[in-house]
Amino acid sequence: MKHAAAESLGRIRDDRAVLPLIEALTADMWLQFPAAMALGELADSRAVGPLVALLEMPGANMPAIQALGKIGDPAALEPLGKLLEDEEPSMREWTLEAVAAIFTRWPDSWLALPMSRKSAEHLIDTLNSDNLEAKRNAAITLGCCRVKEALPVLVGLSTDHDMGEVARKALSRIGRS
């Protein structure tokens, strides 16, 4: 019953639900998933801190990552950036999607995401993957973070039918640094 109520609060998008949903993140572990997802739908920045607190909790981190991407607040970039180094590929992919969503809204917030060498290497490797969405997200993130090591791969993608526009934008951003 509570699970369905939390989901419904996200669907109706009434900002009066934000504080009760934030409370649900810590009150009941069975409500963390639907509460986090509902907070993502509400896209209220008041939820960033409580969602960041869930990033290190297995089982709760995936909906928290997705919600932070939907909220789109640059304050989430630094804590999310640490997960770009995760050994679990699916964790990195969820995080990359959230980070790229934030950069799509706030492309000049690159200082909020310190890019480690390991993260940059993972993202450059992603540019060579078969997953088009992951490649786009990696190009957006590498461009917004101005990672010069990505230049050769991005140049190669700049004429690609599916990736050309995103790669050229990334190249332009890196070139301005």
Side-chain angles (χ1 to χ4, degrees):
M1 179 93 142
K2 289 180 183 179
H3 196 279
E7 288 176 351
S8 296
L9 288 171
R11 274 191 235 113
I12 62 172
R13 297 181 190 229
D14 185 337
D15 65 352
R16 293 177 294 176
V18 172
L19 295 178
L21 287 167
I22 288 172
E23 288 176 28
L25 292 175
T26 57
D28 183 344
M29 75 174 221
W30 297 108
L31 285 179
Q32 287 173 335
F33 189 98
M37 298 305 286
L39 286 165
E41 294 302 319
L42 290 165
D44 190 304
S45 290
R46 292 177 289 177
V48 170
L51 288 165
V52 164
L54 296 179
L55 291 178
E56 295 188 29
M57 295 180 70
N61 51 12
M62 186 271 293
I65 292 165
Q66 291 178 331
L68 289 167
K70 286 181 178 182
I71 292 169
D73 190 316
L77 284 171
E78 184 176 358
L80 285 169
K82 295 171 187 165
L83 296 175
L84 288 173
E85 295 183 6
D86 200 275
E87 293 304 316
E88 175 59 41
S90 60
M91 182 68 73
R92 287 194 313 267
E93 192 172 318
W94 294 325
T95 303
L96 179 56
E97 185 176 333
V99 167
I102 295 169
F103 278 136
T104 298
R105 281 184 161 165
W106 304 96
D108 293 322
S109 60
W110 64 283
L111 289 173
L113 179 62
M115 180 67 63
S116 72
R117 176 183 233 72
K118 185 175 182 179
S119 295
E121 288 171 0
H122 283 308
L123 295 180
I124 293 168
D125 287 345
T126 301
L127 290 176
N128 293 311
S129 78
D130 292 331
N131 182 333
L132 182 59
E133 192 60 32
K135 284 170 72 165
R136 284 184 179 156
N137 290 336
I140 290 166
T141 302
L142 289 163
C144 288
C145 290
R146 293 160 170 81
V147 177
K148 292 183 188 292
E149 294 82 5
L151 286 170
V153 181
L154 288 168
V155 167
L157 291 172
S158 67
T159 58
D160 181 87
H161 177 272
D162 295 318
M163 286 292 300
E165 183 178 344
V166 175
R168 288 188 297 275
K169 281 184 183 177
L171 287 165
S172 173
R173 286 193 177 287
I174 294 169
R176 286 188 275 167
S177 59

